[in-house]
Amino acid sequence: MRYIDPHIHMVSRTTDDYQRMAQAGCVAVTEPAFWAGFDRSSPQGFYDYYVQLTEVEPQRAAQFGIKHHCWICINPKEAEDVGFARDVIALIPQFLDKPGVLGVGEIGLNKNSKNELEILEAQIDLAAKHNQLVLVHTPHLEDKLKGTLLIMDAIANDGRIPPERVLIDHVEEHTVGHVLAKGYWAGMTLYPETKMTPQRAADVIECYGQERLWINSAGDWGCSDPLAVPKCQQEMRLRGHKPETIERISYDNPLQFLSQSERFSIE
């Protein structure tokens, strides 16, 4: 069954992964800018990374018939040095009009700190000024519910970006209802051990329905699975979900949200 993986960090994955994803039905991926596993020492490091996202990865994906898109930002894990982060943010506008760039992401909070919140607000402002979609990271190790509420408050306080143009990712059972109730899109990240398993994601779909909800692998350099989306499709199939329900979660919903950007295409 065809699918879109709307959050995966392919710069961390092998070419074999592209091949296996294509064989499993992947037709498109979107890749948010993220933490590389270490703090970069200069804004030039981010510039080179953004070139990799916008020029190199699309070519690598195309070898296997997969359309590659990306999001540009500085991740909250590197936002504590506010001056450094603002120097990086100043580089971003030159990339926002490049082919395949869908918006600003994954912005958000990691430790729910004052400095992270300042840089989150700066990147919300950037997205609003350039009329961009937004993809949001929510905390893993700190209080996820508190961080999720802080992020939604920051977006609402800015007031220029409507909820339907924002995807709030890494939702779990205790945050998904808050996100959907405020009109945002919600992403469930499927990890083998942490975040959410395919089984837990299927539970959430059965409790909250299919409206404004998608699944992604967020595959990166850590313990993660680039085939997590088709594995969740299989879990839903085994539970007796109809093919159209599975396709809506794994293909139709990502297509609907991402198509708000004129630069998204699966052709």
Side-chain angles (χ1 to χ4, degrees):
M1 177 179 284
R2 64 182 178 176
Y3 73 94
I4 297 169
D5 193 336
H7 184 155
I8 186 166
H9 302 287
M10 293 307 299
V11 299
S12 304
R13 307 303 308 193
T14 67
T15 300
D16 285 351
D17 287 335
Y18 272 122
Q19 186 175 44
R20 292 190 298 140
M21 291 166 65
Q23 291 169 343
C26 184
V27 297
V29 299
T30 88
E31 179 160 6
F34 84 138
W35 186 56
F38 61 94
D39 289 348
R40 279 157 278 217
S41 61
S42 71
Q44 185 63 39
F46 281 88
Y47 180 92
D48 293 342
Y49 174 47
Y50 298 154
V51 170
Q52 183 181 16
L53 288 177
T54 56
E55 297 181 14
V56 178
E57 283 304 320
Q59 295 179 27
R60 208 159 70 103
Q63 296 176 50
F64 301 95
I66 295 175
K67 292 288 292 185
H68 180 281
H69 307 78
C70 67
W71 307 74
I72 304 295
C73 79
I74 179 169
N75 188 276
K77 287 179 73 70
E78 292 175 280
E80 280 298 340
D81 184 338
V82 171
F84 180 91
R86 288 193 179 279
D87 287 344
V88 174
I89 292 171
L91 297 173
I92 293 175
Q94 64 189 296
F95 290 93
L96 293 180
D97 290 330
K98 286 185 173 291
V101 176
L102 303 179
V104 177
E106 54 183 304
I107 61 174
L109 298 174
N110 183 50
K111 298 179 180 177
N112 299 337
S113 71
K114 179 182 177 182
N115 286 354
E116 289 178 359
L117 185 59
E118 180 177 337
I119 294 307
L120 169 64
E121 291 171 343
Q123 295 193 95
I124 292 171
D125 176 67
L126 176 72
K129 285 179 176 174
H130 292 269
N131 192 30
Q132 298 290 308
L133 296 176
V134 173
L135 194 152
V136 171
H137 166 98
T138 51
H140 299 315
L141 301 179
E142 297 297 326
D143 188 330
K144 181 182 283 289
L145 177 57
K146 177 182 177 181
T148 301
L149 297 177
L150 285 171
I151 291 165
M152 292 193 292
D153 284 346
I155 296 170
N157 290 339
D158 180 89
R160 290 174 290 172
I161 304 176
E164 62 267 23
R165 289 180 60 82
V166 179
L167 184 289
I168 297 183
D169 214 344
H170 315 318
V171 299
E172 295 181 0
E173 292 87 343
H174 64 303
T175 61
V176 62
H178 295 275
V179 172
L180 294 174
K182 289 184 179 294
Y184 295 99
W185 285 76
M188 293 188 288
T189 295
L190 310 170
Y191 264 23
E193 297 176 359
T194 61
K195 298 179 183 172
M196 186 168 285
T197 63
Q199 290 75 26
R200 284 173 57 195
D203 290 344
V204 169
I205 293 163
E206 290 165 3
C207 290
Y208 289 91
Q210 309 149 40
E211 188 77 19
R212 288 180 283 113
L213 197 58
W214 78 26
I215 52 177
N216 62 74
S217 74
D220 57 18
W221 40 261
C223 295
S224 53
D225 184 356
L227 297 181
V229 172
K231 289 179 181 178
C232 190
Q233 290 178 324
Q234 183 183 34
E235 173 67 23
M236 294 179 67
R237 196 176 299 117
L238 291 173
R239 293 187 182 202
H241 287 280
K242 297 178 180 178
E244 53 266 35
T245 301
I246 301 171
E247 176 144 303
R248 182 170 183 187
I249 289 293
S250 57
Y251 181 83
D252 294 338
N253 280 357
L255 180 66
Q256 182 180 346
F257 176 80
L258 299 168
S259 293
Q260 294 181 85
S261 169
E262 62 184 15
R263 287 187 285 276
F264 182 77
S265 170
I266 56 172
E267 301 300 327

